[in-house]
Amino acid sequence: MATIDLLKAGVTEPHLDEVARTTWLTAVYGSTRAVGGVVATSVEEPMVGRNYYRVRVRLHDGEPLTILFNAAALLVAGARQREPHTLDALFVDVPGAEIYRRAGLWVAAGVELDQPLNDRHLRLLTDQERRDVAYHRPGRLGDLLFNWFD
C-alpha cells in the first residue's frame, strides 16, 4: 500500500490512541536498539497544532532523529530538522523499518513524504480538513500527514 492510500477523513487531525501509541513506542525502542541508537526524549502527544506523536532518538553515530507517528493512519516517519531555527522537517527513511511493519504499522519513505501535495491527495478528506489545507498551505504530502494545523 502506498502512503497516499492512507489519506482518509480525519487523518490530518490530532488522534489519541493508547493502544496504537504503545505499539509504536515499543517498535521505536526495538528499532532504535537494533541500529545501535538510544531513545533521547519522552513521547510528545498529539495536540492542537500537531496531529502526531513524536519522540527523539539518537542514532549510533550521534545523529539526532525524530520518529513521528500519525495514529489515525498508523503511519510512522522519520524527520530531521533542516536548520536549528526552522520549522520544516527533512523527511528521511526510518531506521529499522521492518520492526514497525512487523508490529502492523505503515512506514513512509522520506522521498514519498517529500512529494508535492496535489488535489488527488485531498479528495477523501473532510471539508474542514480541506479548508485547513487551503489556509495553512502545506507543500508536501508529509506536511499534510504530519501537520501543525490549529
Side-chain angles (χ1 to χ4, degrees):
M1 178 183 293
T3 300
I4 189 172
D5 296 326
L6 300 174
L7 291 170
K8 59 185 179 188
V11 76
T12 70
E13 299 181 10
H15 182 77
L16 295 170
D17 183 326
E18 191 59 35
V19 172
R21 176 195 182 276
T22 300
T23 300
W24 165 71
L25 191 56
T26 300
V28 167
Y29 276 93
S31 67
T32 303
R33 275 194 304 270
V35 298
V38 296
V39 175
T41 66
S42 59
V43 173
E44 295 177 48
E45 307 282 327
M47 56 189 238
V48 173
R50 186 180 62 248
N51 75 324
Y52 53 92
Y53 293 90
R54 70 180 172 195
V55 66
R56 290 180 177 85
V57 301
R58 192 171 355 291
L59 302 178
H60 72 281
D61 60 3
E63 188 72 28
L65 178 68
T66 302
I67 307 294
L68 312 175
F69 180 57
N70 179 319
L74 298 177
L75 182 64
V76 179
R80 288 203 168 98
Q81 195 170 358
R82 289 183 194 267
E83 295 180 25
H85 302 291
T86 61
L87 294 176
D88 65 329
L90 172 64
F91 292 106
V92 298
D93 293 344
V94 178
E98 188 55 36
I99 292 172
Y100 297 95
R101 289 186 190 102
R102 281 196 305 258
L105 305 175
W106 299 101
V107 180
V111 67
E112 194 173 19
L113 294 173
D114 273 333
Q115 67 180 290
L117 197 58
N118 62 51
D119 288 339
R120 80 183 172 127
H121 294 126
L122 309 179
R123 68 172 194 237
L124 297 178
L125 301 182
T126 66
D127 289 341
Q128 179 58 50
E129 287 175 297
R130 284 192 291 275
R131 282 191 294 275
D132 285 340
V133 169
Y135 180 79
H136 291 284
R137 298 180 182 192
R140 305 170 294 171
L141 178 58
D143 297 328
L144 177 66
L145 288 164
F146 300 97
N147 70 59
W148 60 93
F149 301 168
D150 51 8

